[in-house]
Amino acid sequence: MAEASSNGLDGDGGTGPWWERGREPDYRATLANERTFLAWSRTALALLASSLAVLQLVTGVPEPLRVALSCLLAALSLTTAVVGYVQWRVRQERMRMGRPLGHLPVQAVLTAVFVLLTAVVGAVIVLAPGGR
């Protein structure tokens, strides 16, 4: 225990599950990290609801395009949920170990997927009856 105190760690520094290593971070940082995770979760849920809405409510669009858009939204929902959890987990562990939070390059990938999603939505609008 004296060694753990000398390196600034209150818990076991190298063994056990990640949530028991290091020291408990400031509760405000932990709560902010959890709020960010909840925002990712809300976004994933909204994308999943959009996927179901497109599949069930959009009419007058070729079915393969409608199914493709719905599948893209569902895949984006799953990806968003997983990315949100991974970011929460990585940042929580980094805070416990006193390391910089860093950043994951996944935002660039998600931006590219949103651009693809925008293109598919544009195609649905153009191909729908009465489209521009």
Side-chain angles (χ1 to χ4, degrees), residues 43 50 76 84 106 109 129:
T43 302
S50 299
L76 193 55
V106 73
V109 173

Side-chain angles (χ1 to χ4, degrees), residues 41-59 65-78 80 114 117 120-121 124:
S41 299
R42 283 190 306 271
T43 302
L45 185 59
L47 287 165
L48 187 58
S50 299
S51 171
L52 293 172
V54 164
L55 196 57
Q56 296 296 317
L57 302 176
V58 173
T59 58
L65 193 55
R66 194 176 75 215
V67 170
L69 177 57
S70 182
C71 288
L72 181 60
L73 284 165
L76 193 55
S77 172
L78 176 64
T80 302
F114 276 114
L117 177 63
V120 173
V121 168
V124 168

Side-chain angles (χ1 to χ4, degrees), residues 29-103:
T30 297
L31 292 174
N33 195 27
E34 288 176 1
R35 281 191 303 274
T36 302
F37 171 66
L38 290 174
W40 281 94
S41 299
R42 283 190 306 271
T43 302
L45 185 59
L47 287 165
L48 187 58
S50 299
S51 171
L52 293 172
V54 164
L55 196 57
Q56 296 296 317
L57 302 176
V58 173
T59 58
V61 177
E63 186 172 351
L65 193 55
R66 194 176 75 215
V67 170
L69 177 57
S70 182
C71 288
L72 181 60
L73 284 165
L76 193 55
S77 172
L78 176 64
T79 302
T80 302
V82 170
V83 165
Y85 172 77
V86 168
Q87 285 197 342
W88 169 82
R89 161 78 169 70
V90 165
R91 290 190 175 133
Q92 195 66 26
E93 183 176 11
R94 287 177 179 174
M95 284 190 297
R96 291 190 69 80
M97 301 309 289
R99 295 191 316 241
L101 295 181
H103 105 135

